[in-house]
Amino acid sequence: MGTRFLKYFFEPKSIAVFGASEKEFSMGGQVIRNLQDGQFPGKIFAVNTKGYDQVFGETCYPCAEALEEIPELAVICSPPNVVPDLVGRLGHLGVKAALVLTGGLSRTNSAQGLVDPSHLSLKDDMLAAARESRIRIMGPECLGVLVPGRKLNASYSSGNVKPGKVAYIGQSGMLGNAMIDWANGRGIGFSHVVTLGDSADVMIADVIDYINRYSHAQAILLHLEYISDSRHLMTAIREASRNKLVLAIKSGRIVSSYGGPVLNTPGLVNRDQIYTAALNRAGVVRVNDVEELFDALESLSRIKPVLGDRLAIVSNGIGPSILAADKLLLSGGKLVKLTEETRSKLDECLPSGWSDANPIDIGGDAMPERFVKALEVLSNAPEVDAVLAIHAPTRLAPSAETANAVINSRGKFRKSVLTCWMGMEEARPARKEFNLAGVPTYSSPEHAVQAFMHMVNYRRSQALLQEAPPSIPHETPYEVRRSARKLISRARKEGRMALTHQESTQVLAAYNIPVTQSWYAKDENAAAIIASQQNQPLAVKIIHETNCKPFVYRKHPHKVSAGLMQDIQTPDAMRKAVIGLRDKVNEKFPDSTIYEYCIQPMHRGKHSMLLNMGITRDPVFGPVILFGIGGYKENVLADRHVALPPLNMTLANELIKRSHAYRLIKEHSDNPAEDIESISEVLVKLSQLAADIPELQGLEINPLIINRDEMLVVDVKIDLGEPSYHAIMPYPEELRETVTLKTGRVVEVRPIRGEDAAALSQFHSQLSEQSIRFRYFHNKAELSKRDLANLTIINYDRQMAFIAEEIKENDEREILGVVRVWTDPDNIRTEFSVLIRDDLQGEGLGALLMHKMIKYSRSVGTLEMIGKILVENHPMRGLMKYLGFQCQYNVDEQVIDAVMPLNEPQSEWQRHRLENNSGI
């Protein structure tokens, strides 16, 4: 995986089409016709074993070895049984990339399957041949690749497309064909159209990385059917969404609608909400259906960026505008409140008696001139973020005439104007005029509002990504993590895949998660003694092998068979309860080992609210944090919301706000803000726990009670599994260390995190203009909110930043220096920067940070570290020489290039990348 050789899919200078003929339904023949119709400027070769002289005017060769030159891209439309061998031969000939349009390889059994279990299908054979010969494969069963700006249409699509600024990346060839046809009908263009089919080699994340890094596309439209590597995808789309608007549609939302294997996530009825949480976390706007996807494409291509969620609606009838207002408010948008100045200007161009509020009804007798004047006033009003114009045809204002009036006046509109010309016979020609003029137009008010909300939701998601989280109120010391791991190791050594209740509460207590008072007894006599020492109603629960698993719910949780007895007042009653529970377990689960009896005080009479939270493991995304209403019945699943770890306080707060539990807390709590902050702290600690203990498969706190006096965990269950793989790389706590400088100053060096935004801003304010110019190559008086987010909320698998901070006597932390690297998606080259506070230069802090970063970059396999230094930055040049960097003057950029080899390349392609800075 990675961007290796992807250049040859999108910028080939020569293409060979295998399986091409002039037969009516020849896929290869269609590819050649599309290349010709698109005026591909490079060489085109046809290849067919039938021995044709030419195919549609292009010279035809009998085999790959007979070609007059090695093509940069091969397009394979040959029968499935010959594809694996053909791919291997092409790779050995030196072809770098192959588009496999042939279908059926995944469904055709491999002849090698009897010998090698890893070769179950022809797709497996093809992939093995590709890896052995080092050729990249896109497909099989893909539509192909279209790059209109380079006159490339290497596909069997029904036609070419106009150049545009939106890249479409999908996994379905047929949906890609539909997108092309729809866009051509609307006059909309694409920068790229790529469908990957079965994604044997090139993954959707690889293409996102390539387009984000090397394309001028302003937006990316994704169609996702399945995800094979969640971390790779999340990293790619998180990086892309910082630079481009990204929208996605996910098919297979309901288990029964998807023909693939059924995947289950304990504690969730429908896994689809995990995809929503993942896309939101990455800053991606999700659309729900194909029609919405088409509307999104219209939005991306034609709507100016919106600055807020305030929409003005103008219509020649109140009915359609109210439909639009309903959709807007239900979708989370705002009807703009018109200022006195705006209403006065509207008074001048509208008849007396107009609605005097938003939505603006300009009257059924409105002529085109009135429509245009109202749009001009509203689109120039400072309180308005966008305008929706809704028109129904009348004799006084025919659709086409009014549309042309709007089109001719669009230069007067400062804000985005969306149009909705309702109807069919009269409205269709008007909508066509809007399409030709590049004005966004929709067939219904609801679709128009939805398009506006796409832009609003993107802006909101970006704002959330840039939100610096408050400081973490709790950090997990190494000793705590070690003690928790010891409990896990002991259970594994004893052959247990679940912890007892006592062990589970010890894990929570180690992370300062408050747990209710509990006593543990081995038999009825010990339980009776505990009861005799308590002057309060008690509950007792039997802890055995079968009931230690999280996310198991019963229809009747308070029956003896559920393992719980409540309201026990006397020692004798306790003895009888324990005997009854034990007998019932022996009857129901005769092979289940009984570990202990957990005795707790009853929690009643304080108007407590029951909450449920925990960690589950998804087969695609790994650990997932859950939150919702608590209780023991199956109906708790109705209020179950999810987020991907790692969480900070801001993300935990957002998770809580999505739940029904949040509304109950707001209504019934005496101090809702304090309660929500306390719950957020627990969620953040659970997130850290998931990172610290990768063997943790599931953890359920149910219930966590919260009332006017306290917040306590009453019950918790933990089970274990194989080490987990996080979709978002967690905070690398293991890289933290304490160091003493040569001056005796003690500093802590650790990876940066989002909570450091305020401290980083303070650090920046203490730098001299010269230090800032040496770092950024220009004067940067202060860091913006976006700057701070980009510098502190990072992808740890592609970026790293270490800060050196000093802890003062009052426990305040002060950043003294920062070193950071940005690594390319293929981990070939990483670029560094280092910045030390002026008054500390000379203490050895720069060398310390650089040594740590060099060691880290070597450990993750990066091949080379580079940096650019201003010629007059003599201290940095001296440091580079001391560290062993090779420094050379760059004439083109007039800077010093500092280079240090870190690891030896393992392939010719890696050597090529190192020798050619722009080679891909």
Side-chain angles (χ1 to χ4, degrees), residues 880-900:
M880 294 300 101
K881 185 177 180 180
Y882 167 74
L883 293 170
F885 278 78
Q886 303 165 12
C887 296
Q888 187 173 357
Y889 182 65
N890 184 323
V891 179
D892 295 332
E893 300 181 36
Q894 296 184 0
V895 297
I896 302 295
D897 286 338
V899 180
M900 174 181 281

Side-chain angles (χ1 to χ4, degrees), residues 265-268 507-508 511 513 550-551 612-618 622-627 640-645 647 682-701 716-719 724 726:
T265 303
L268 287 178
V507 170
L508 296 189
Y511 283 77
I513 298 175
F551 310 114
N612 181 307
M613 62 181 66
I615 306 164
T616 187
R617 189 180 295 186
D618 182 74
V624 176
I625 305 296
L626 307 178
F627 177 77
R640 185 61 57 81
H641 301 269
V642 301
L644 295 187
L647 296 184
V682 176
L683 289 170
V684 171
K685 292 170 185 176
L686 289 180
S687 168
Q688 185 61 48
L689 207 157
D692 292 343
I693 308 177
E695 299 87 357
L696 193 153
Q697 181 161 289
L699 181 155
E700 183 181 21
I701 294 173
V716 57
K717 297 177 181 179
I718 296 177
D719 66 349
S724 59
H726 288 247

Side-chain angles (χ1 to χ4, degrees), residues 290-553:
V290 173
E291 193 168 19
E292 194 177 344
L293 187 69
F294 289 154
D295 289 342
L297 179 57
E298 177 102 18
S299 309
L300 297 179
S301 303
R302 292 174 172 167
I303 297 180
K304 301 174 186 176
V306 297
L307 299 178
D309 54 5
R310 301 167 301 177
L311 183 66
I313 302 171
V314 58
S315 173
N316 62 345
I318 193 64
S321 61
I322 291 177
L323 290 174
D326 286 344
K327 179 67 174 179
L328 178 71
L329 297 174
L330 289 171
S331 301
K334 295 177 183 176
L335 278 170
V336 65
K337 187 175 181 180
L338 302 177
T339 64
E340 187 64 37
E341 181 182 358
T342 302
R343 289 203 302 272
S344 297
K345 290 180 179 179
L346 288 172
D347 284 338
E348 296 174 6
C349 62
L350 298 181
S352 59
W354 70 279
S355 57
D356 197 40
N358 185 26
I360 298 103
D361 178 9
I362 64 173
D365 60 346
M367 302 286 282
E369 294 78 10
R370 190 189 299 173
F371 233 115
V372 169
K373 287 179 181 178
L375 290 176
E376 186 177 347
V377 170
L378 292 167
S379 66
N380 287 278
E383 70 270 25
V384 173
D385 293 315
V387 184
L388 170 59
I390 304 175
H391 177 273
T394 69
R395 287 187 178 275
L396 294 174
S399 292
E401 186 178 338
T402 309
N404 284 321
V406 172
I407 292 168
N408 294 333
S409 303
R410 58 185 166 163
K412 302 176 183 178
F413 306 151
R414 290 181 58 192
K415 309 285 177 58
S416 288
V417 174
L418 295 78
T419 63
C420 171
W421 257 231
M422 301 179 68
M424 183 61 71
E425 186 173 348
E426 271 202 49
R428 183 183 288 170
R431 291 198 292 267
K432 184 177 181 181
E433 292 299 318
F434 280 130
N435 286 326
L436 293 174
V439 176
T441 187
Y442 307 89
S443 58
S444 73
E446 293 84 356
H447 286 171
V449 169
Q450 197 168 53
F452 169 69
M453 289 307 300
H454 289 148
M455 310 301 287
V456 170
N457 290 333
Y458 171 71
R459 182 174 175 80
R460 287 174 177 172
S461 66
Q462 290 301 298
L464 181 60
L465 290 178
Q466 295 171 23
E467 189 71 35
S471 297
I472 295 178
H474 168 80
E475 290 186 355
T476 311
Y478 171 75
E479 294 75 17
V480 168
R481 300 197 306 275
R482 185 173 62 179
S483 66
R485 288 190 180 117
K486 281 184 177 179
L487 290 170
I488 305 297
S489 299
R490 187 175 69 189
R492 297 295 291 266
K493 286 180 180 178
E494 294 176 3
R496 291 187 284 123
M497 296 305 291
L499 301 187
T500 66
H501 187 278
Q502 187 171 7
E503 291 169 335
S504 299
T505 57
Q506 288 172 355
V507 170
L508 296 189
Y511 283 77
N512 284 343
I513 298 175
V515 181
T516 190
Q517 176 69 57
S518 299
W519 302 273
Y520 298 93
K522 287 296 183 182
D523 54 32
E524 63 271 22
N525 295 323
I529 293 172
I530 292 171
S532 68
Q533 298 168 349
Q534 303 299 318
N535 187 25
Q536 58 182 327
L538 299 172
V540 60
K541 181 173 183 177
I542 186 169
I543 310 300
H544 60 96
E545 187 177 2
T546 304
N547 77 344
C548 284
K549 283 189 172 294
F551 310 114
V552 177
Y553 307 106

Side-chain angles (χ1 to χ4, degrees), residues 734-789:
E734 68 279 3
L735 297 177
R736 183 193 298 263
E737 63 175 321
T738 301
V739 183
T740 302
L741 301 180
K742 61 184 180 183
T743 59
R745 187 192 302 269
V746 178
V747 298
E748 184 177 62
V749 180
R750 62 172 177 83
I752 204 166
R753 58 189 177 201
E755 290 81 358
D756 295 317
L760 187 66
S761 181
Q762 178 66 22
F763 166 75
H764 185 86
S765 70
Q766 297 173 303
L767 299 172
S768 66
E769 285 188 14
Q770 184 184 63
S771 290
I772 292 173
R773 188 170 64 85
F774 282 169
R775 162 63 178 86
Y776 296 101
F777 290 16
H778 64 274
N779 188 27
K780 199 176 184 70
E782 61 181 26
L783 297 175
S784 67
K785 191 174 182 180
R786 183 181 179 86
D787 291 333
L788 290 170

Side-chain angles (χ1 to χ4, degrees), residues 827-828 854-865 900-906 910 914:
N827 201 24
I828 300 294
I854 291 167
K855 180 181 178 181
Y856 167 78
S857 297
R858 278 202 178 105
S859 71
V860 297
T862 309
L863 301 186
E864 186 176 82
M865 181 177 286
M900 174 181 281
L902 299 176
N903 290 291
E904 285 296 318
Q906 300 299 309
Q910 289 181 335
L914 288 175

